[in-house]
Each structure stands twice: as C-alpha cells, then as structure tokens.
Amino acid sequence: MINRVLIRLKVVQVIYAYYQSGGHKPETAERELAKSLDSAYSLYQTLLYLPVLFCNLSRRTVARKRLMDGENISGKEVRFSENKFILQLESNVQLTEFASSNDFSWLINSDYIKDTYDSFIEGDILEEYWQEERFDYAADKELCRKIYKELFMNSDDLDALLEEQDIYWNGDRGLIDSFVLKTIRSFLEKNGPNQPLQPKFRNEEDREFAIELLRAGLAIRKECEDVVAANCNRWDPSRLAMLDVIIIQAAFAELITFPDIPLKVTINEYVEMSKYLSTPASSGFINGMLDTIVKGLEAEGRLSDKL
C-alpha cells in the first residue's frame, strides 16, 4: 500500500518539519518518518473500515424502527443493512484485527456519519441501486464503491474529523483514497474473510528506499542549496519557497543515490508532487531546476549508472 509515490511525499514532509523544528538530530527525522508511514497505513485501514461503520449504523436504525413501528421501515434501507460485500469487509481477518484494537467512537458518534447516512438513505445512490433490483454480491460491491467515492471522498467534514484524530493524516487523503478504491475492486466473494488487503510495503526494497532517501536528502542539503543558488538566474535564492527547495533537495538526493531509478521517473514524480504540495508556479520552477541539476551531474559523470 505504501508505494514510492507516498514514500517520496512523506520524506519531503518530514524533511520540511525537521528543518522547521531546528533540525539538529537526524535520528528524530527517521523516527518521524517511521511514525508517518505507520500512520498512513492506519489511515488506509480506517477508511476501508468506514463502510462497515456506515452499515452498522443502518442495522441499528432498522432495529430501532422495527421496535417502534415496523411499517415505516423502507425496503431499500433494510437491503443496505444486509449488504453482502460490506458483510465480507466486516469479517475480513486483517481488518477485524485492526478494528478490535482501535476505538472508532469519534466516528460512530459524530454528526458527520449520521448526517451522511440520512442523506444517503434519501439520495440517488441508494435509490438507483434499489430500482435496478439486482441485489447480488457484485451489485452490493458496486454500491459500496459508489458510497465511498461519492460520499466519503472530498468530504471537508470527514477531513476535519481525520485531522483532529491524527496529525499525520493531514494531506494523505488523495493517495490513500486511491488505495481504498483499489482494495474494494480487488475483493472476490470466494475469498470470504481471508481476502488479502494491500500490504503495508510492497517489498523490503521499498521499506529501505524510504529511510535511504531520507538520509540522503538530509545529507545533501548544503550541496543542493549551493546548486540552486548558482542557477536561480531570475530568482533571489533567499525568497524561494522553502518547500520548493526541499522538493528539489529530495529529488537531487534520489538522482545520485538510486541509479536503478530512471531519470525521467524521478523528475516526473517530484514535479507532480509540487503540483500537489506547493503553488501553481512551483512545478515549472522545479522542473527547470531539476533539468539544470541533471545536466550538471551528467557533466561531472555522477549519473553514469543511470538508466
């Protein structure tokens, strides 16, 4: 689940926070990176569990209505409370283990989940599902995907709740949402509770990439600042955005530390990151600066092993 795109993002964020706090002990940055990556995986599991909490609310609502006045229960609400895909998600071995060791009262008791559920019951997503009259596993899975994509993604209220819960979750939603949707698509009914989730790291190489990139990024600070200052041309180095310089610094470190990663991959990844993290004008500046850095490194023979 934690791929190199997310690792690069986390490394840049950790280096930025490290310098903001004074930057005296590299070990502190390494611990922060480990916490941040652990937290990203926790966010992935939390968001994947969100449809379960949503369906549990439906079950409680249906049970309460049955006790009070069974005639007012809508068939589509009952049908959602029995969603086959979400039942599989709820029974998933890995997700059950995660849920058993975490308190979700901050979500269960929030106005957000109650208000979102009320809107969902009266909204188009459930109505379309009900009108199709196709209540098999595939239809239930598609309903869950739509709920996640249309109700949970891009929700400012949910973002606020997540940020209150864990400071490391701030800014991770875009990538993590894509992993959650990928996981939903990957589920197979035949796998039952043993459906594998996305692993924390794809392999040990990615785990090592994270710490090596951080160490290289911190070590190359002075050289990077000198190169940027020498090639600023139209810009005053003292007025450059600190975040932009750190993005360049991390890219510089990757260029000279990981010969197996193609030049274009490294440059493209950090230019795209700048569009996400920094200002609209930053990507052009960073792209130009990285092109200049690459030419200088090639002239010095420091990229001879690059693909």
Side-chain angles (χ1 to χ4, degrees):
M1 193 283 298
I2 298 176
N3 62 12
R4 294 199 175 189
V5 175
L6 183 58
I7 288 170
R8 291 181 178 100
L9 175 65
K10 289 295 186 182
V11 166
V12 167
Q13 290 173 335
V14 167
I15 292 176
Y16 181 85
Y18 176 71
Y19 291 154
Q20 289 288 85
S21 63
H24 300 300
K25 295 182 179 179
E27 313 86 64
T28 302
E30 292 181 21
R31 286 195 296 270
E32 286 301 305
L33 179 61
K35 287 180 184 177
S36 187
L37 292 172
D38 285 345
S39 187
Y41 196 64
S42 176
L43 176 58
Y44 159 72
Q45 292 173 297
T46 297
L47 292 174
L48 188 58
Y49 198 65
L50 191 51
V52 174
L53 299 177
F54 206 58
C55 194
N56 284 344
L57 175 57
S58 181
R59 291 178 203 151
R60 293 195 301 273
T61 303
V62 167
R64 185 176 68 251
K65 287 181 179 179
R66 279 177 174 154
L67 286 173
M68 296 175 64
D69 183 0
E71 294 182 0
N72 288 332
I73 303 175
S74 70
K76 60 184 179 182
E77 188 169 18
V78 173
R79 179 64 67 177
F80 175 66
S81 72
E82 299 168 350
N83 185 283
K84 297 178 181 66
F85 173 75
I86 297 179
L87 286 172
Q88 182 191 15
L89 195 63
E90 184 175 19
S91 68
N92 182 268
V93 173
Q94 292 174 259
L95 206 53
T96 298
E97 182 180 355
F98 171 75
S100 65
S101 58
N102 286 271
D103 179 13
F104 291 102
S105 59
W106 56 277
L107 258 175
I108 294 169
N109 300 324
S110 67
D111 290 336
Y112 163 75
I113 202 162
K114 295 171 184 174
D115 293 344
T116 304
Y117 177 76
D118 289 342
S119 298
F120 165 69
I121 292 300
E122 301 300 327
D124 293 339
I125 299 173
L126 185 57
E127 182 62 26
E128 289 172 6
Y129 164 83
W130 181 249
Q131 292 299 327
E132 286 180 4
E133 297 184 349
R134 180 170 154 256
F135 308 124
D136 57 10
Y137 176 85
D140 284 3
K141 177 178 170 179
E142 176 60 14
L143 175 62
C144 182
R145 187 194 69 81
K146 285 184 177 179
I147 289 170
Y148 191 87
K149 190 170 184 179
E150 298 184 29
L151 298 183
F152 299 154
M153 286 178 62
N154 303 315
S155 167
D156 292 338
D157 291 336
L158 180 56
D159 284 343
L161 275 175
L162 294 171
E163 189 171 351
E164 288 174 8
Q165 191 65 19
D166 190 326
I167 59 171
Y168 293 101
W169 287 352
N170 185 32
D172 289 346
R173 279 293 305 280
L175 282 172
I176 304 300
D177 282 336
S178 69
F179 297 138
V180 172
L181 290 172
K182 182 178 180 180
T183 301
I184 291 173
R185 289 194 299 270
S186 73
F187 262 61
L188 298 174
E189 186 175 14
K190 66 180 182 180
N191 289 340
N194 297 313
Q195 171 73 40
L197 305 183
Q198 295 282 312
K200 184 175 179 181
F201 287 96
R202 182 184 59 177
N203 50 43
E204 188 59 31
E205 286 76 14
D206 279 359
R207 188 189 299 273
E208 292 172 357
F209 173 75
I211 190 65
E212 288 176 18
L213 180 60
L214 176 65
R215 289 171 178 171
L218 292 174
I220 207 169
R221 181 182 188 181
K222 181 62 169 61
E223 182 180 0
C224 181
E225 289 179 346
D226 290 345
V227 170
V228 170
N231 292 280
C232 267
N233 300 326
R234 293 176 294 144
W235 295 278
D236 177 357
S238 66
R239 300 186 67 180
L240 293 177
M242 180 180 177
L243 182 56
D244 290 354
V245 175
I246 290 173
I247 291 173
I248 294 168
Q249 184 175 327
F252 193 166
E254 184 172 317
L255 287 168
I256 63 175
T257 307
F258 300 95
D260 57 320
I261 301 177
L263 290 172
K264 287 185 178 179
V265 170
T266 297
I267 293 173
N268 288 343
E269 288 290 346
Y270 287 96
V271 170
E272 286 301 309
M273 184 194 301
S274 70
K275 296 176 184 177
Y276 177 70
L277 288 181
S278 198
T279 66
S282 295
S283 61
F285 167 70
I286 289 171
N287 188 46
M289 188 60 66
L290 290 179
D291 281 343
T292 299
I293 288 172
V294 165
K295 289 175 183 176
L297 292 173
E298 286 176 335
E300 296 169 9
R302 296 171 69 182
L303 297 180
S304 56
D305 295 331
K306 272 288 182 182
L307 299 177

